[in-house]
Amino acid sequence: MAVYKVKVATGDILKAGTKNSISITLVGSRGESRQTTIKHWFLPGSEKDLTVHCEQDLGPIVLIRLHKWRLFLEDAWFCKDVRVTAPDGTLYRFPCYLWLEGVITLEVREGSGRKKLVDDELEILKEHRRQELEARQEAYQWKIFAEGWPRCLNVDSVLDLDSNVQFSCVRATDFKGALIFQKTSHLLTGFLSKSTSWKSLDEMRSIFSRSKGREIGGCLVCPPP
């Protein structure tokens, strides 16, 4: 009987915790463990400890599978990392830093630096890499916005993107706040309401110097004759 000690860490960002069911499967070079359920109620910044019992030694742990199951309502979970200690004391680290949404199984590769990769020896790692590339190719496709314009992502809105490629709610709120501030500033200075051409560079400089864009106004200097 081989016993593995597992520590699962939840990120410390806003709403990172979850009440949904989370379980884990350890995958080694000699086999894999049974799916083991972790305790519920994951709080932001918390860590959960559990033991995984296997009938035999799994060999080097090459990846893990995190299974998320929705009990009643959807409650996304942000996994920071997972650390697995083998029976011989070897520590395996699995950095994740991803959101898990809905009913999903996420495979995470072992993240320790190695001098020699074992991808060519283990078919399961080859398959994992192939599925990862296919998923990225499907998620990130290009489309032509307009003839002569640079291509853009084939989505109608940033909300259609996966949560892991969107800005965090804190960063998004910061951007929206900065945008509202700049629009208000330009409205008060008369920039947004101006419908005629600029009369001089001094007029442009007088408007931009009242906002954080004063560096732009400072660049509006005619070169000497």
Side-chain angles (χ1 to χ4, degrees):
M1 177 70 69
V3 179
Y4 294 82
K5 297 181 180 179
V6 181
K7 186 181 294 290
V8 181
T10 300
D12 58 357
I13 62 178
L14 184 65
K15 297 183 179 180
T18 183
K19 300 181 182 68
N20 288 176
S21 176
I22 306 295
S23 56
I24 188 172
T25 301
L26 307 181
V27 180
S29 60
R30 303 174 190 166
E32 60 183 66
S33 70
R34 295 182 179 180
Q35 183 173 326
T36 305
T37 301
I38 311 172
K39 296 179 181 179
H40 303 298
W41 294 88
F42 291 78
L43 299 177
S46 65
E47 293 184 344
K48 297 286 187 180
D49 295 308
L50 71 149
T51 56
V52 177
H53 298 269
C54 303
E55 296 181 357
Q56 62 180 7
D57 188 278
L58 302 178
I61 307 300
V62 295
L63 62 83
I64 60 171
R65 297 191 185 104
L66 293 173
H67 314 274
K68 178 177 174 296
W69 179 260
R70 182 173 56 240
L71 298 179
F72 299 104
L73 299 177
E74 167 59 21
D75 191 10
W77 176 51
F78 185 83
C79 177
K80 178 183 177 182
D81 61 20
V82 177
R83 283 156 283 172
V84 179
T85 303
D88 62 359
T90 303
L91 177 63
Y92 299 94
R93 301 177 184 272
F94 299 86
C96 185
Y97 297 94
L98 292 173
W99 286 99
L100 278 72
E101 298 178 323
V103 178
I104 186 176
T105 295
L106 175 67
E107 292 186 343
V108 183
R109 295 169 66 108
E110 207 275 326
S112 299
R114 296 179 181 275
K115 294 182 179 179
K116 181 179 179 181
L117 298 178
V118 295
D119 297 43
D120 295 335
E121 302 175 10
L122 299 177
E123 188 63 32
I124 188 171
L125 292 181
K126 294 180 182 179
E127 180 64 19
H128 173 266
R129 180 65 67 189
R130 184 186 64 81
Q131 293 179 359
E132 184 180 47
L133 291 176
E134 289 181 352
R136 290 186 178 183
Q137 290 172 354
E138 182 179 355
Y140 307 117
Q141 298 182 8
W142 297 102
K143 70 176 181 180
I144 298 177
F145 177 74
E147 193 65 32
W149 285 59
R151 292 186 297 175
C152 60
L153 282 176
N154 189 20
V155 292
D156 297 327
S157 169
V158 293
L159 299 178
D160 297 334
L161 295 172
D162 185 86
S163 298
N164 292 301
V165 297
Q166 295 184 32
F167 283 114
S168 66
C169 57
V170 176
R171 182 63 61 84
T173 302
D174 182 58
F175 278 147
K176 290 180 180 178
L179 180 61
I180 294 174
F181 174 80
Q182 288 296 333
K183 283 187 176 181
T184 304
S185 176
H186 290 325
L187 180 63
L188 294 176
T189 57
F191 176 72
L192 295 181
S193 60
K194 186 174 180 59
S195 58
T196 59
S197 301
W198 301 103
K199 296 180 180 179
S200 65
L201 292 177
D202 290 335
E203 185 179 2
M204 296 178 64
R205 191 178 299 110
S206 65
I207 291 180
F208 285 108
S209 62
R210 301 172 193 170
S211 65
K212 290 186 177 180
R214 64 183 61 188
E215 292 82 1
I216 300 176
C219 295
L220 299 176
V221 179
C222 294

